[in-house]
Amino acid sequence: MKQYKTELFKIFVALFIGLCIYFIALTLFNDIQSRLLGAIAFLVTLWTNEALPLGATSLLPIVLFPALGIITTKMTTVNYGHPIIYLFLGGFFLAIAVEKRRLHVFIADKILGLFPSTPRGMIFSLALTSALLSSILSNTTTTLLLISIAIFITKNVKLKMRFALAIAYGASVGGILTPIGTPPNLILLGIMQEHNMSLIPFFQWMWMVAPLVFLMLVSVSFLLGIGVSDIKIDKDVNVHILDNAQKKVFLLLGSLILLLLVNAPMKPFWNGLGLSESGILLFFGLLLFMPPFKILEWNEDSKKVPFSIMFLFGAGFSIAKAFSQTGLADELASYLLHMTTFTPILLLLSVAVLITFTTEITSNTALISIMLPVIYSVAEQSGINTTLFMMVATVCASYAFMLPIATPPNAIAMSSGVVNVKDMIRYGIVLNLLGIFFIVVIAEFFWKGVLS
């Protein structure tokens, strides 16, 4: 009875916050846009206070958005079949196979042999590995490949949570290291081409963002390492020989990584194969059910798929759709046009803050597609370095660490079962602010000189 009252109270709190945001938003936006912001506040509060199960809250947009006249049921539900959700499904099948055949024990044993077996050492090595892989593979794929290994390195619950976040945050941090690392980077290059701007060469891009990636990796490792330095990591099992089933899973993983690397474009040197990453991961996941592999059994192993996380991403894509459909994204962008009287450094900071925190509740790809043309216009009117401002916005779109709907890596970390929303917000808000600070300072004192 006490738990029932607590959950009911939490739902009323979420409703109250949603209504407050709605009435505050009315002072700046129209009625439908204000309803959307109120609904988002309601959903975010429920995700945070866990009044309802994660999956149940994530399905609420299907009811709320049409009921509030934001977007139709069809427009909402189509987002729950987004291609990236099938990428997740394939990745989850692979993660289940790794865990089922205890291949993670073998891989974890090898990792522990390469890096210092201390909490800080492991957090940094996991974040670094994730960042480097994410610079050439998608951050979603990278996190799916590494998360099941990270959480089985130790039995300590506190360390499991930090290792999972190290993988997720490392993937987001490293995605900006190359122009091909994450979709917003490619969108930036596309818009620069449209406006006949000089493109940033591949290796110049890497040289420009390397200091930022290094600072953020150190910050992630330091922050996640607080309070765990006295915990000892023991290697529970030493595995030297793989059995037949483990070899099959290992072969599939190795083939998958090789195919993903060959598939990734490395312009101007290589255009890639052009295959869909979602299709590749789903295919490899389904191979686990087929002979000669036959690692997974549908009736038994499909129950382990965290469908609540897939619903969570459906909710995220629905919010992104509602942002563009109601004109809220354009309205937010228009406020930037009123900031052209600001000093360049203050305008740079405003862009960084707006993009970073808006990305927490909508797709970074959708947001940056809408915002970059506006930022181009703002920069042109202000007579300041257009490439610099667009670069800052693009990087900020990838640096959202607070909420599970912000980025695929965050959602995958949640799916591991060792991270809750409160932990993510607690560490994420600090990393968001550090990211904004580092990006603005590096842009002002390093990128400006390089791009001028």
Side-chain angles (χ1 to χ4, degrees), residues 96-401:
I96 290 164
V98 166
E99 182 184 348
K100 184 177 182 178
R101 296 303 174 186
R102 294 182 58 76
L103 182 61
H104 58 277
V105 177
F106 175 84
I107 298 171
D109 184 70
K110 297 303 175 189
I111 290 173
L112 285 167
L114 289 172
F115 296 100
S117 296
T118 63
R120 281 191 190 277
M122 289 311 304
I123 287 168
F124 182 75
S125 65
L126 290 169
L128 178 64
T129 304
S130 183
L132 292 175
L133 277 176
S134 186
S135 69
I136 47 174
L137 303 178
S138 80
N139 55 14
T140 309
T141 304
T142 297
T143 312
L144 282 168
L145 290 173
L146 294 177
I147 198 78
S148 59
I149 297 164
I151 62 174
F152 286 101
I153 290 173
T154 178
K155 290 180 179 177
N156 186 287
V157 176
K158 192 188 285 188
L159 279 182
K160 279 178 186 280
M161 178 266 287
R162 293 170 197 236
F163 287 174
L165 287 178
I167 294 289
Y169 291 160
S172 293
V173 167
I176 66 151
L177 188 57
T178 64
I180 61 167
T182 187
N185 298 1
L186 296 170
I187 292 167
L188 168 65
L189 297 179
I191 289 175
M192 288 176 76
Q193 245 173 349
E194 256 179 56
H195 292 284
N196 297 314
M197 298 168 66
S198 298
L199 296 183
I200 303 167
F202 194 94
F203 291 106
Q204 182 183 314
W205 178 297
M206 291 184 69
W207 177 55
M208 284 171 61
V209 301
L212 173 62
V213 171
F214 174 74
L215 285 170
M216 286 302 292
L217 282 176
V218 170
S219 300
V220 166
S221 304
F222 177 79
L223 188 64
L224 294 176
I226 294 172
V228 293
S229 56
D230 57 334
I231 299 173
K232 193 173 185 301
I233 301 177
D234 294 315
K235 290 193 276 187
D236 296 324
V237 183
N238 282 291
V239 181
H240 300 290
I241 301 170
L242 292 174
D243 62 30
N244 194 43
Q246 287 174 327
K247 284 177 183 174
K248 287 179 182 179
V249 180
F250 196 79
L251 174 67
L252 270 182
L253 282 176
S255 304
L256 171 62
I257 291 168
L258 185 63
L259 180 57
L260 288 168
L261 288 171
V262 174
N263 188 57
M266 190 74 74
K267 292 180 180 179
F269 311 107
W270 169 246
N271 290 326
L273 298 177
L275 300 174
S276 159
E277 275 200 0
S278 298
I280 291 172
L281 256 82
L282 184 58
F283 173 68
F284 273 81
L286 293 176
L287 278 178
L288 293 161
F289 295 95
M290 304 176 192
F293 298 100
K294 212 61 177 144
I295 301 297
L296 299 181
E297 296 292 334
W298 184 267
N299 289 339
E300 176 191 342
D301 296 306
S302 63
K303 294 172 185 172
K304 299 173 187 172
V305 174
F307 289 102
S308 59
I309 297 301
M310 293 164 71
F311 294 150
L312 174 69
F313 254 82
F317 293 130
S318 297
I319 290 170
K321 180 68 175 176
F323 252 73
S324 57
Q325 201 67 26
T326 60
L328 182 56
D330 292 327
E331 195 68 29
L332 284 170
S334 72
Y335 281 104
L336 280 176
L337 293 170
H338 300 300
M339 297 178 184
T340 50
T341 54
F342 290 5
T343 60
I345 186 73
L346 191 56
L347 187 53
L348 207 60
L349 181 63
S350 302
V351 167
V353 171
L354 178 65
I355 298 292
T356 299
F357 286 99
T358 307
T359 305
E360 290 290 351
I361 53 172
T362 187
S363 154
N364 61 0
T365 306
L367 179 70
I368 213 68
S369 300
I370 293 162
M371 295 294 279
L372 280 184
V374 178
I375 288 166
Y376 174 83
S377 173
V378 171
E380 286 284 292
Q381 288 184 39
S382 304
I384 50 183
N385 192 314
T386 311
T387 306
L388 178 73
F389 270 73
M390 291 172 75
M391 184 83 174
V392 167
T394 302
V395 172
C396 286
S398 294
Y399 276 24
F401 304 99

